[in-house]
Amino acid sequence: MNGAATQTDKKEIIKVRNLVKYFPIENSDDVVRAVDDISFDIVAGETLGLVGESGCGKSTVGRCLLRLHEPTSGEVWFEGQNIVGLGNREMQKLRREMQIIFQDPYASLNPRLTVFSIVSEPLKIHGIGDKTEQKERVADLLKKVGLESDYMFRYPHEFSGGQRQRIGIARALALNPKLIIADEPVSALDVSVQAQVVNLLQDLQSEFGLTYLFISHGLAVVEHISQRVAVMYLGKIVEIAESKALYENPLMPYTKALLSAIPIPDPKIKRERIVLKGDVPTPINPPSGCRFRTRCPWAIEDCARVVPELREIEPNHFAACIRIEGYDSAPPLS
């Protein structure tokens, strides 16, 4: 990705180049093309939102960055080091710098462990501190996320969904990471609790200088927390822009349709809804050319044979659509 797309005044912490992740299908030669040749950067201290419909590959991208899923091909550079192909010992060292907040606060915490055991587990794995120091660290982390320190002696079933997610956030912070993958961290929570958790993540980012990849299908939440937003469709990134530019002037018809679905909290204001026809095609056998063409109101014959690449249509605003004015003369994302 060229410098204009990544705020060159800041250091890039993540570089993704031509990332591919295919999942084999049992008893078949076919594969699920979950992530299919995507590239993007994340600069230190920013929040990059990653949005799209369910099943488009968002969570797979996040897990590939942490090597929880092994990429089929491509490169993932973390602070100048390509982590694809590193051995387990090298990756364990890097995991101190890269953590994840999972979507489901009920499934991501072991019900048999106390909060102390859950939050201190990363410290034990990396041999940080004795038991007394670990208790002090856990108590401090719980306070940071808005919980009482004596909660460390309780079990996950004794907490609400929002409190459990705060425990998950505390666990992610235990090793003082630089990068956190937030995999739909508020989608399982009530709306009022969602706002509290999002505000907490922003406060923690300011305090600790964290960098987030914030994965969500909640477009309103992403607008609130992200400096830049990448839009995915069927394994491809189809648009990347600064948050304000994307929400005020989306270029891709798919992005326009997504944004038209955001509810407006005022019954007197009505937004023209763009309803896409048909279902999302299968990632096992995606359409030729532009993958969105089967549902796109702009589609023409050329869309079936040309695979659009991300190009800088406007400053810092990249889109992959041959129908956008100025696309042919725009520089490609490198």
Side-chain angles (χ1 to χ4, degrees):
M1 180 178 294
N2 66 21
T6 57
Q7 306 172 34
T8 54
D9 58 324
K10 295 183 179 180
K11 180 182 177 183
E12 296 161 352
I13 192 170
I14 282 284
K15 288 184 179 183
V16 176
R17 294 294 179 271
N18 308 112
L19 179 65
V20 173
K21 178 58 183 177
Y22 293 166
F23 291 98
I25 299 175
E26 190 174 359
N27 300 322
S28 173
D29 294 331
D30 291 329
V31 294
V32 176
R33 294 167 171 80
V35 179
D36 203 357
D37 193 12
I38 68 170
S39 300
F40 63 91
D41 296 346
I42 308 176
V43 300
E46 83 163 333
T47 299
L48 175 67
L50 186 59
V51 302
E53 294 171 284
S54 296
C56 71
K58 305 185 302 296
S59 294
T60 302
V61 171
R63 290 168 183 263
C64 283
L65 297 193
L66 300 178
R67 293 269 307 280
L68 299 179
H69 290 326
E70 289 294 337
T72 303
S73 64
E75 300 176 348
V76 177
W77 295 79
F78 177 76
E79 292 195 319
Q81 182 179 17
N82 185 7
I83 69 172
V84 175
L86 288 182
N88 291 335
R89 184 171 297 179
E90 292 86 353
M91 276 307 303
Q92 182 170 334
K93 294 177 182 178
L94 278 178
R95 292 197 195 285
R96 294 184 62 166
E97 311 290 343
M98 310 161 69
Q99 292 292 311
I100 186 170
I101 301 168
F102 293 98
Q103 176 178 356
D104 188 348
Y106 294 88
S108 62
L109 303 180
N110 191 329
R112 295 184 176 89
L113 299 181
T114 63
V115 170
F116 169 73
S117 296
I118 290 169
V119 178
S120 66
E121 187 172 16
L123 302 174
K124 295 173 183 176
I125 290 173
H126 290 272
I128 299 174
D130 56 26
K131 193 166 185 178
T132 299
E133 292 170 331
Q134 290 171 359
K135 282 187 176 180
E136 292 175 354
R137 175 64 173 159
V138 171
D140 181 60
L141 287 168
L142 292 178
K143 291 178 182 177
K144 293 289 186 186
V145 299
L147 298 175
E148 298 294 330
S149 59
D150 59 0
Y151 286 3
M152 74 172 74
F153 305 110
R154 300 184 185 180
Y155 289 85
H157 73 270
E158 300 179 69
F159 297 95
S160 67
Q163 289 174 320
R164 289 189 188 196
Q165 196 60 294
R166 290 172 186 265
I167 294 168
I169 293 170
R171 176 176 59 185
L173 291 172
L175 298 173
N176 290 318
K178 296 177 181 177
L179 172 70
I180 290 182
I181 309 297
D183 186 7
E184 305 211 34
V186 298
S187 63
L189 307 177
D190 293 338
V191 174
S192 59
V193 180
Q194 286 184 14
Q196 296 172 13
V197 172
V198 168
N199 290 336
L200 171 63
L201 290 173
Q202 289 181 308
D203 292 341
L204 293 171
Q205 183 176 40
S206 298
E207 183 174 355
F208 297 109
L210 298 170
T211 303
Y212 293 142
L213 175 65
F214 191 91
I215 300 167
S216 180
H217 57 257
L219 293 166
V221 174
V222 170
E223 181 182 17
H224 179 70
I225 196 173
S226 303
Q227 284 79 53
R228 289 189 303 134
V229 179
V231 181
M232 282 194 73
Y233 182 81
L234 206 61
K236 294 278 194 180
I237 290 181
V238 296
E239 189 164 357
I240 303 176
E242 294 178 0
S243 180
K244 183 178 180 181
L246 185 127
Y247 280 81
E248 292 182 355
N249 182 35
L251 300 178
M252 273 287 299
Y254 176 63
T255 307
K256 293 180 179 182
L258 287 180
L259 296 180
S260 76
I262 300 176
I264 300 175
D266 187 340
K268 297 179 181 179
I269 301 176
K270 293 185 178 181
R271 175 185 282 133
E272 183 180 352
R273 179 72 190 276
I274 301 173
V275 180
L276 298 176
K277 297 179 180 179
D279 297 323
V280 179
T282 172
I284 299 173
N285 185 26
S288 62
C290 175
R291 296 189 173 185
F292 183 58
R293 66 176 175 81
T294 57
R295 305 171 72 197
C296 180
W298 290 5
I300 57 176
E301 289 185 7
D302 283 349
C303 296
R305 62 177 184 81
V306 178
V307 179
E309 57 184 343
L310 278 172
R311 295 193 176 188
E312 190 174 18
I313 310 301
E314 298 175 355
N316 300 326
H317 197 150
F318 294 76
C321 176
I322 65 173
R323 298 299 314 279
I324 295 174
E325 184 177 355
Y327 174 83
D328 290 337
S329 59
L333 184 152
S334 58

